[in-house]
Amino acid sequence: MGVTNILIIGLGGVGLHLAERLTHEGYDITIIESNQQLISSVNDKIDARVIDGNAMELSCWKKAQPETMDLMIAVTDQDSVNMIASIIADRFGIPQKIARVRSPEYGYENSFLNKNDFKIDLVIHPEELIAREIARLVMRAAANDVIDIGEGEMKVCALRVTPDCPIADKTVKEIKLAHSDFPFRIVAVARGINTIIPGDDDTILANDQVFIMLNGGHLSRIMQLMGTREQTIQRVMIVGGGMVGARVAELLGKTVKIKLIESDKEHAEELASSLKNTEVLLGDGTDVNVMVLGGLMETDTFIATTGNNETNIISCLLAKHIMNRTNVDPTGKEGKTIALVKKEDYLVLASTIGLDIALNMKISAANEIIKFIRMGELLSVAHLHGVDAEVIELEAAPRSAVTKKRLGRLRGMLQEKGIKIAGIIRNDECILTDDDTKIEAGERTIVVSATRSLKDARKLFQ
């Protein structure tokens, strides 16, 4: 049985982001929160029931009607509250529990008290999640991102459109006709602060970031078409030796050469002794002299993971300019930049002003939680970095709206809602769709949807 009613404990960054996304998708959300400022800020934002009170008081739980809940998500900033909330939820009979636990001493498989002791089904560690995501993106050497779709056979890759790119200033329809020798679909476009799910008549412009879905075997070919050079990552520079920066260095240290810049002398000394495969430098990560003397000119990827948004964005902008070897050599490399950004409003700004990838910890944590929720609904999800869109996998129910007409006849309605049915899994093969495709009951499809339209996308298949 799928999840319908969800109880969220804590309205901090992860809790609020989750509540907004899950209400968009039609889940019934109840929230327990004691902070009056957070409660007043959320009342007009989301359609959810908010209970003003302490999650450690059983009276608040009784108001939440736990016997009706399918899932509890505890994401306060206190590990102890989240772990105890999971035990309380289990006593009330809530079938599934998710808790944010940062301390490795509790909740994990090898901990003294593991997740089973606390009745937790999924443990979320935001810093660990974002560090692993950064490490994955670093090793995707050429594209800004590559996501596996349809059990890995299909890919969605994110690429920047340069002014001399063959698809610049052409409509999606013109691009399809010009490159019909190998199939691919432009499924989403990031343009400034806007997310576009493009139709055939939409024009792709220079500086757009496009998300292209295609068979994995054609990945090198699409990068060649887009003028993106495939390159091997050998040297990485990290600014900020906090939990995320240090963990990224640990994950990548055995594969590539790492230099980590840390401004605090005592902490830099600790990192130098604990990170065996990393060269630790003491200095200011926004100081050009420190960056250049540290070897930025020879660096392939620059990562900023300090706790300050502005520091991360500014240092990445400086690094991007310095690493762009094409300024002096047309065949030279252009380094990649990755910034950790806490404010969601800055995510789009970061990509608009020239950074390659901007990541947000609470979005990463929310993505992991949503994947877990959908495991029981035959529905997978991948969030596209840099746009307000998701790639989801849906199965067509008998007599559902999507099975009644060919996709060409649904095109207008789908485009209006920001939904694109991009692929279909038929006879164990994932193929791209066109206007003549007719989806049969029981078939799995790959759908790209604006986040605001996920509820509408699901309805089409029910």
Side-chain angles (χ1 to χ4, degrees), residues 176-196:
K176 279 185 193 176
L177 292 171
H179 304 285
S180 57
D181 54 328
F182 76 103
F184 65 87
R185 297 286 181 271
I186 299 173
V187 295
V189 177
R191 180 176 298 157
I193 62 171
N194 298 315
T195 294
I196 301 165

Side-chain angles (χ1 to χ4, degrees), residues 369-393:
I369 291 169
I370 288 171
K371 283 180 189 176
F372 177 87
I373 293 171
R374 289 176 173 156
M375 278 169 59
E377 300 179 3
L378 298 176
L379 191 67
S380 63
V381 62
H383 184 77
L384 299 179
H385 293 303
V387 289
D388 195 15
E390 326 264 342
V391 182
I392 57 177
E393 193 177 313

Side-chain angles (χ1 to χ4, degrees), residues 11-28:
L11 254 184
V14 175
L16 176 57
H17 181 75
L18 264 177
E20 288 176 332
R21 283 178 65 177
L22 292 172
T23 51
H24 269 309
E25 295 186 44
Y27 293 97
D28 292 323

